[in-house]
Amino acid sequence: MAAIIETRNLTKIYGGKVKALDDLNISIEEGEVYGLLGPNGAGKTTTINLLVTRIAPTSGTAIVNGFDIVKNSLEVRKSIGVVPQDLTTDEDLSGFENLKMVSQFYDVPAEEAKERIHKLLSMVSLDDVKDRLVRQYSGGMRKRLELIAGLVHDPKILFLDEPTLGLDVTTRTQMWKYVREIQEKLDVTIILTSHYLEEVDALANRISIIDHGKVLATGTSEELKSNLKGDIILATMKTDKDAETLMKYPGAIEAKENGPRAVRLKVQNSDEELPKIIQYISGNSLSITRLTVQKPTLDDVFLEYTGSEIRSEEPTDSRQEMMNLRRLRR
Amino acid sequence: MSGLGPLTSRELKKWYRNPVSLLTGLIQPFFWLALFGSAFSKISAFGPTLLDGAPNYITYILGGVLTIIGLFTALFSGVNLIFDRRLGVLGRFLIAPIRRSSIVFSKIFASSARILVQVGILILAALLIPNGLEFKHGFTVLDALILIAAVMLVALIFTSIFTTLAVRITRPDTIFGVINLVNLPLLFVSYAMFPPGLMAGWLSDAAKYNPVSWSAEAIRTVVINGTLTASQMHSVGVWLGGLAILATILLLMAYFVSENEIRE
Ligand SMILES: Nc1ncnc2c1ncn2[C@@H]1O[C@H](COP(=O)(O)OP(=O)(O)OP(=O)(O)O)[C@@H](O)[C@H]1O
Ligand SMILES: [Mg+2]
């Protein structure tokens, strides 16, 4: 398969100081769902904004659908659909009017636009409210409208920047269903950013973990997990002293505290190591209250590469508040 | 791929769907005429010489009020751009394959269209009120064209300036500050409200260079005189010419600034 997006030492420095992207080199293949995973401030939105020509790179460039983002931004814009992190639909127009306006930006013939808009509206179950002003939409409805606003001109590539930010868990799962449906039915390449691990895990074929503007790892979810080389064993002990003793278990690749009296051991292979751990526990007369074996999750992958835990369940209103604040700061 | 059509239609929809703006737009002309017509009616006592031969003060002041209505609407033409940026809508426009200048020009055109409607309502209102507008010497098609051209040129001049400012200004309070700084000087240092003979010498001198005066005087000349003499035609030509040159320069500025500078 051919790369439909390729970045070449893509770098963005804001205001001469903040290095948001640092020589980024990624390659995205046609037809895949590609996930960019990273904590707040990692440079996800910056990457997307550069690729969609919303901002210009400080140095380096990228080729999107065969066009250079610096030299040929207009052609890039024609071949892509974008669902930005912030809301972009006009509250004073109806859902239908918003989509209609976007279709006119792309010179979609009126008849074709109408047909396509209706198809998209029913795909995300908004047909009933299409003539209502967007101001009267719920947060979830608004996000669904944003999702299809990036699709009215039949783009080859769709960029989704945090498509489920601020949505509750049910609505989020519903959005995933729509994204999958879009990918299957409309045959687009999707680039998705998120800091929800489950989201990237559920939707993306391939994932890049980025932090501080650099790619730390790329691969399928399975590859990333197997790269970790090892399983996790979680044990909770009766006393602090017992926990300390278990931390000294010699067969562990790594031992960490994991809460009060809880220990997190990383071992090569849990199936072989577990009996030995049990022997060690009884040999040292430790009292254990709980023992769990964990195959690595994307969480662990993330922790491994970025050295910090991503919080997958942030309270929605505080995120929302941050979004609003960011907007007001402009 | 210009985007001008859909963006202008969006602006207009937002305007006529807002019941408050529609209502104030309807009431405002009556308000202004009632206010100015009666507040300064004593000027009529100075006689027709001071009023350039106008039969009453409303007739005299119509050119001024039309220009000022155009001016004040134009001053606010950039505000929507700032809110589009704040609300994120601008982001959608910037990722679309449209000319960047169409974002700014849609505001210029929509504001001009609003001004045109207000001009129509104001003239109607002036004709309807007692002791109102009188075309003593008739009103020709050419007069009407001159009147519309004058207001529209003022509209283009100030919408260009204020939408261009909004390309760079990101805070609503900043642009409101600028509007408040210039609106009254533009109004009072001009021949929009008072005959030059009633103004302090320095004020009258300064007012000569204000495009608001040019428009007000041009409209006043055609409204009062109907068919123009050659010398009146010449003055009107100079005023409109000045307005047209200024408008062209400022529209070009708006074009280049918006093509290159507009961002979130
Ligand atoms: N317009 C800007 N001016 C200055 N600095 C910026 C600007 N936009 C982003 N940054 C900085 O660049 C870095 C990367 O930001 P970016 O928005 O790309 O992160 P992100 O991964 O999308 O984060 P989030 O998960 O919060 O959306 C951050 O340190 C941020 O503060
Ligand atoms: Mg972001």
Side-chain angles (χ1 to χ4, degrees):
Chain A
M1 267 195 292
I4 195 163
I5 295 180
E6 214 178 287
T7 70
R8 297 178 182 160
N9 299 331
L10 197 60
T11 302
K12 179 72 188 181
I13 301 170
Y14 287 110
K17 303 189 288 275
V18 188
K19 198 165 207 174
L21 267 198
D22 192 358
D23 276 337
L24 188 84
N25 286 295
I26 55 176
S27 161
I28 298 165
E29 263 144 43
E30 186 153 8
E32 74 176 328
V33 179
Y34 182 91
L36 267 180
L37 190 62
N40 287 148
K44 302 182 296 291
T45 300
T46 303
T47 309
I48 299 274
N49 283 348
L50 285 166
L51 292 178
V52 306
T53 77
R54 210 165 148 179
I55 55 177
T58 309
S59 65
T61 188
I63 307 297
V64 174
N65 194 31
F67 302 108
D68 190 306
I69 57 163
V70 180
K71 292 184 203 132
N72 215 341
S73 60
L74 201 67
E75 289 303 320
V76 171
R77 277 187 237 152
K78 282 185 209 167
S79 34
I80 60 172
V82 190
V83 182
Q85 179 165 347
D86 301 328
L87 300 174
T88 61
T89 43
D90 189 339
E91 295 189 4
D92 297 327
L93 300 181
S94 73
F96 183 84
E97 285 170 334
N98 266 290
L99 299 174
K100 178 88 195 160
M101 180 173 69
V102 174
S103 80
Q104 288 169 329
F105 290 162
Y106 293 84
D107 280 344
V108 185
E111 270 310 300
E112 200 184 313
K114 209 168 157 190
E115 213 170 283
R116 201 171 163 82
I117 290 170
H118 281 297
K119 184 172 138 198
L120 290 169
L121 281 167
S122 68
M123 231 163 133
V124 295
S125 327
L126 283 179
D127 354 30
D128 294 344
V129 293
K130 70 176 165 55
D131 294 321
R132 247 196 249 166
L133 293 186
V134 172
R135 196 182 317 131
Q136 298 158 357
Y137 280 25
S138 71
M141 285 154 76
R142 187 102 193 249
K143 271 283 187 188
R144 263 140 64 198
L145 183 67
E146 295 284 339
L147 183 63
I148 56 173
L151 288 165
V152 284
H153 58 291
D154 201 5
K156 287 196 70 172
I157 310 169
L158 180 66
F159 291 89
L160 298 175
D161 196 2
E162 313 248 11
T164 63
L165 189 68
L167 298 183
D168 63 45
V169 182
T170 336
T171 326
R172 192 182 305 160
T173 331
Q174 205 187 28
M175 280 292 272
W176 295 354
K177 193 191 97 199
Y178 293 132
V179 172
R180 281 199 204 97
E181 209 176 308
I182 284 167
Q183 211 265 330
E184 281 161 24
K185 288 195 183 155
L186 304 181
D187 189 32
V188 288
T189 308
I190 296 182
I191 292 91
L192 167 90
T193 81
S194 184
H195 62 264
Y196 297 122
L197 294 158
E198 328 84 89
E199 181 158 295
V200 180
D201 214 357
L203 294 173
N205 313 116
R206 233 151 46 92
I207 299 166
S208 279
I209 294 179
I210 70 168
D211 200 8
H212 304 297
K214 279 187 174 303
V215 175
L216 303 174
T218 303
T220 65
S221 170
E222 270 57 48
E223 282 166 3
L224 290 173
K225 287 173 198 167
S226 69
N227 272 354
L228 280 187
K229 295 194 200 73
D231 301 337
I232 303 295
I233 293 173
L234 298 171
T236 310
M237 312 303 287
K238 254 245 171 69
T239 66
D240 291 335
K241 204 166 151 289
D242 286 359
E244 272 168 43
T245 315
L246 184 62
M247 293 265 280
K248 294 190 192 112
Y249 173 70
I253 304 171
E254 190 189 283
K256 273 189 184 162
E257 255 185 49
N258 192 40
R261 298 181 306 282
V263 177
R264 179 177 180 279
L265 297 175
K266 189 164 144 192
V267 298
Q268 199 69 251
N269 182 331
S270 58
D271 300 341
E272 286 169 14
E273 211 64 42
L274 202 56
K276 295 184 193 160
I277 291 176
I278 292 171
Q279 262 175 18
Y280 179 86
I281 288 173
S282 55
N284 288 288
S285 331
L286 309 178
S287 306
I288 187 161
T289 55
R290 200 183 160 92
L291 188 68
T292 340
V293 178
Q294 243 182 28
K295 296 288 176 185
T297 63
L298 213 45
D299 257 307
D300 302 307
V301 177
F302 197 81
L303 186 67
E304 178 77 19
Y305 284 107
T306 65
S308 66
E309 213 150 336
I310 205 164
R311 284 207 290 145
S312 8
E313 287 306 328
E314 275 171 282
T316 39
D317 355 9
S318 94
R319 278 296 302 183
Q320 201 69 46
E321 225 165 66
M322 266 184 53
M323 263 175 72
N324 294 342
L325 268 178
R326 180 181 314 180
R327 209 166 273 154
L328 289 175
R329 243 193 291 130
R330 290 219 182 108
Chain B
M1 290 281 172
S2 87
L4 194 56
L7 284 173
T8 309
S9 111
R10 159 179 181 261
E11 288 297 319
L12 291 173
K13 266 184 204 146
K14 283 169 85 99
W15 168 55
Y16 67 71
R17 277 195 197 152
N18 180 351
V20 178
S21 76
L22 204 62
L23 199 69
T24 49
L26 280 171
I27 296 172
Q28 193 197 33
F30 289 93
F31 216 74
W32 281 58
L33 286 172
L35 210 65
F36 292 130
S38 49
F40 304 115
S41 57
K42 287 270 154 54
I43 294 175
S44 319
F46 291 95
T49 24
L50 202 57
L51 294 184
D52 294 344
N56 55 37
Y57 187 64
I58 294 275
T59 305
Y60 177 79
I61 206 179
L62 183 80
V65 176
L66 284 175
T67 306
I68 293 299
I69 271 202
L71 170 71
F72 279 14
T73 299
L75 292 182
F76 285 90
S77 58
V79 173
N80 275 355
L81 182 57
I82 291 174
F83 280 106
D84 284 352
R85 184 182 289 116
R86 291 251 152 165
L87 296 173
V89 197
L90 185 61
R92 171 64 60 199
F93 304 157
L94 291 181
I95 50 182
I98 56 174
R99 297 203 75 97
R100 304 269 157 122
S101 54
S102 64
I103 300 167
V104 159
F105 274 75
S106 68
K107 314 260 186 249
I108 292 180
F109 290 158
S111 291
S112 303
R114 291 171 59 168
I115 291 166
L116 213 53
V117 172
Q118 287 171 313
V119 164
I121 296 174
L122 192 110
I123 292 176
L124 263 181
L127 286 167
L128 288 176
I129 59 168
N131 195 19
L133 176 61
E134 273 178 62
F135 296 114
K136 263 270 170 61
H137 305 283
F139 194 64
T140 63
V141 175
L142 182 66
D143 292 345
L145 290 177
I146 291 171
L147 181 151
I148 290 170
V151 183
M152 281 297 104
L153 288 171
V154 166
L156 291 177
I157 288 169
F158 289 98
T159 50
S160 297
I161 296 175
F162 279 82
T163 51
T164 305
L165 284 177
V167 167
R168 298 316 298 266
I169 291 176
T170 53
R171 299 169 55 121
D173 40 346
T174 310
I175 197 140
F176 287 130
V178 179
I179 293 171
N180 274 331
L181 186 70
V182 300
N183 58 2
L184 293 186
L186 280 170
L187 169 61
F188 285 110
V189 189
S190 81
Y191 302 141
M193 314 289 288
F194 308 109
L198 277 187
M199 295 168 84
W202 66 270
L203 202 60
S204 175
D205 287 342
K208 271 185 211 143
Y209 302 100
N210 185 348
V212 171
S213 305
W214 306 343
S215 162
E217 292 277 71
I219 298 172
R220 188 167 294 147
T221 307
V222 297
V223 166
I224 294 174
N225 301 298
T227 319
L228 304 186
T229 65
S231 81
Q232 284 168 338
M233 205 63 193
H234 176 77
S235 314
V236 168
V238 171
W239 287 319
L240 285 188
L243 288 170
I245 291 169
L246 206 54
T248 310
I249 294 171
L250 291 166
L251 283 168
L252 283 172
M253 173 193 72
Y255 175 80
F256 286 111
V257 172
S258 55
E259 277 292 307
N260 298 308
E261 299 289 319
I262 196 162
R263 56 191 59 124
E264 276 157 86

